[in-house]
């Protein structure tokens, strides 16, 4: 894997709207890794923000995109993200999972 | 049912640009780069150290099975015997050759029409979203059942459209019926051998069961057999799932054709 978490990344909380589960995403881990820690496996492939396998609908939260998949208009809309590389800039992120 | 031994395959050698290098293909079913609606299966041997296939997608449903060497597919380790299924128009990879080399079988019910790289190809995804991309692993060192006995294990339980991955373990001289094919089915001999007529189908033989054919009748040789069963989804309205609708694709391989140099007839 060639992608790494950018310096200065901050921790935040992820909530899963369909199940009500939640977890903290530490500054040095990805959302995929944090969810795996609580037993939620997200379908992934490249884990570099290229393939789009982990695209997920966002219900609430401000985003910091690090993928190469989304268009400019999708980034601006802020309602979908790649969980393998992208992060929240708000303290709370709610996903359609 | 049709069966092909590795020793009966056609060797195709190509030099591929863009970081892939020298590749030896063993064609089991289909005609190499031909784009048609017939089943296509080949073994890919990445010969160049450091070979890397960038994240890409195809226009057909596909299984891939790592059978020799080591490497990774995406962020996942890829070692024998690891199997991956991707719906048509679902990106996967990159595939990276490890230090032991890497050989993998690519298996389709219709020939692939091209190789589209991400992220440029995202517009081909259905509604911009990927389809299924699942992986599983078989432990080829697990002992086979005793003589005459068989076991069946699902690595991926059947989906509503029939997609499934299963392992059949046949003890020495055991006989059993395979699975009913949904949208068609391949069986890869991962260890041991099957009996076919007066001969054997040894490790790395590939069996094709087309949709509508009965479940295959299988018989192991004296050492038993470990079979990986790859069950394709039934054709549906899902883009890329129905070989019968693929006859109007371009007659030549798309996207990477000008990066490939055939090195043998």
């Amino acid at each position: 894997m060639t992608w790494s978490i950018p310096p200065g990344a901050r921790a935040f909380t992820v909530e899963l709207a369909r199940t009500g589960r939640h977890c903290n995403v530490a500054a040095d881990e990805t959302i995929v890794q944090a969810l795996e820690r609580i037993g939620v496996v997200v379908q992934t492939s490249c884990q570099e923000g290229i393939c789009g396998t982990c695209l997920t609908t966002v219900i609430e939260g401000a985003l910091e995109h690090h993928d190469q998949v989304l268009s400019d208009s999708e980034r601006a809309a802020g309602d979908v993200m790649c969980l393998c590389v992208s992060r929240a800039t708000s303290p709370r992120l709610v996903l359609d999972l | 049912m049709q069966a092909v031994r590795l020793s009966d395959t056609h060797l195709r050698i190509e030099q591929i640009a863009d970081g892939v290098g020298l590749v030896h293909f063993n064609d089991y079913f289909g005609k190499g780069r031909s784009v048609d609606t017939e089943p296509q299966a080949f073994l890919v041997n990445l010969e160049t150290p450091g070979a890397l296939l960038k994240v890409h997608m195809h226009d057909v449903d596909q299984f891939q099975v790592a059978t020799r060497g080591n490497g990774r597919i995406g962020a996942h380790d890829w070692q024998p015997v690891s199997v991956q299924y991707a719906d048509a128009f679902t990106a996967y990879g990159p595939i990276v050759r490890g230090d032991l080399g890497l050989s993998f079988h690519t298996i389709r019910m219709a020939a692939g029409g091209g190789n589209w790289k991400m992220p440029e190809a995202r517009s081909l995804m259905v509604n911009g979203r990927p389809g299924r991309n699942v992986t599983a692993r078989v432990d080829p060192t697990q002992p086979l059942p005793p003589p005459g006995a068989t076991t069946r294990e699902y690595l991926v339980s059947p989906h509503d459209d029939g997609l499934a991955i299963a392992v059949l373990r046949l003890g020495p001289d055991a006989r059993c019926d395979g699975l009913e094919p949904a949208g068609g089915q391949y069986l890869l001999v991962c260890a041991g051998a099957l009996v076919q007529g007066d001969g054997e189908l040894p490790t790395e033989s590939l069996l094709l069961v087309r949709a509508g054919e009965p479940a295959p009748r299988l018989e192991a040789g004296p050492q038993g057999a470990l079979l990986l069963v790859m069950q394709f989804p039934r054709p549906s309205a899902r883009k890329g799932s129905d070989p019968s609708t693929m006859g109007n694709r371009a007659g030549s391989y798309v996207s990477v054709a000008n990066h490939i140099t055939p090195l043998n007839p």
Side-chain angles (χ1 to χ4, degrees):
Chain A
M1 198 167 80
T2 57
W3 186 84
S4 57
I5 295 169
R10 289 185 292 188
F12 54 95
T13 299
V14 168
E15 294 182 21
L16 307 183
R18 296 190 201 180
T19 61
R21 301 190 69 181
H22 59 88
C23 71
N24 294 321
V25 180
D28 61 352
E29 66 181 348
T30 66
I31 297 174
V32 169
Q33 291 167 337
L35 291 177
E36 283 180 353
R37 193 160 37 75
I38 63 166
V40 177
V41 177
V42 176
Q43 185 173 289
T44 64
S45 183
C46 72
Q47 296 196 22
E48 296 177 11
I50 302 172
C51 70
T53 302
C54 60
L55 277 172
T56 300
T57 299
V58 176
I59 295 174
E60 186 181 330
L63 304 178
E64 180 181 86
H65 295 285
H66 295 289
D67 66 89
Q68 299 175 51
V69 176
L70 296 176
S71 65
D72 290 344
S73 59
E74 287 173 317
R75 291 173 195 276
D79 55 5
V80 64
M81 71 186 300
C82 284
L83 300 186
C84 65
V85 293
S86 297
R87 306 182 67 81
T89 55
S90 54
R92 178 169 171 263
L93 176 68
V94 184
L95 300 174
D96 185 21
L97 286 176
Chain B
M1 183 183 76
Q2 295 169 265
V4 177
R5 300 174 186 85
L6 176 59
S7 59
D8 296 332
T9 59
H10 171 255
L11 178 63
R12 174 166 51 96
I13 305 174
E14 294 178 354
Q15 182 74 33
I16 302 179
D18 212 15
V20 180
L22 183 66
V23 183
H24 288 186
F25 295 92
N26 292 90
D27 289 320
Y28 284 77
F29 295 97
K31 299 173 186 171
R33 299 286 181 191
S34 172
V35 179
D36 55 41
T37 58
E38 289 299 301
Q40 180 184 53
F42 49 85
L43 174 64
V44 181
N45 304 282
L46 298 178
E47 303 291 342
T48 302
L52 183 150
L53 284 73
K54 293 180 177 176
V55 175
H56 64 280
M57 67 174 76
H58 301 282
D59 57 351
V60 294
D61 297 342
Q62 172 185 284
F63 287 94
Q64 296 196 113
V65 190
T67 43
R68 277 180 265 157
N70 69 333
R72 66 180 173 90
I73 182 167
H76 309 284
D77 286 338
W78 219 28
Q79 300 172 26
V81 176
S82 299
V83 55
Q84 180 240 12
Y85 167 82
D87 276 341
F89 301 104
T90 297
Y92 63 88
I95 293 174
V96 182
R97 179 192 193 268
D99 55 1
L100 302 177
L102 182 61
S103 299
F104 58 92
H105 288 74
T106 297
I107 289 167
R108 303 162 174 160
M109 291 310 298
N115 173 324
W116 288 272
K117 301 286 191 302
M118 284 293 284
E120 295 82 3
R122 188 182 168 220
S123 61
L124 296 174
M125 286 183 173
V126 180
N127 299 322
R129 294 298 183 98
R132 291 168 293 191
N133 182 344
V134 297
T135 56
R137 183 161 189 264
V138 184
D139 180 359
T141 64
Q142 189 173 332
L144 293 170
T150 64
T151 65
R152 174 189 299 183
E153 173 192 4
Y154 277 106
L155 301 179
V156 174
S157 297
H159 290 210
D160 289 345
D161 62 2
L163 170 67
I165 304 174
V167 177
L168 296 176
R169 291 183 173 86
L170 286 73
D173 304 313
R175 296 180 181 187
C176 74
D177 288 328
L179 282 62
E180 295 285 342
Q185 178 189 101
Y186 284 86
L187 297 92
L188 178 66
V189 181
C190 299
L194 291 176
V195 174
Q196 187 190 48
D198 294 333
E200 276 201 339
L201 296 171
T203 301
E204 294 198 80
S205 296
L206 197 57
L207 291 74
L208 166 64
V209 186
R210 295 173 188 256
E213 289 186 340
R217 183 71 177 152
L218 305 166
E219 179 180 351
Q223 67 273 61
L226 172 62
L227 305 177
L228 178 65
V229 184
M230 292 161 281
Q231 179 99 306
F232 278 82
R234 282 180 285 275
S236 68
R238 180 172 53 79
K239 187 178 160 189
S241 71
D242 187 352
S244 71
T245 66
M246 296 177 187
N248 59 353
R249 293 177 298 168
S252 59
Y253 202 75
V254 177
S255 176
V256 295
N258 56 354
H259 298 302
I260 298 170
T261 306
L263 299 179
N264 70 333

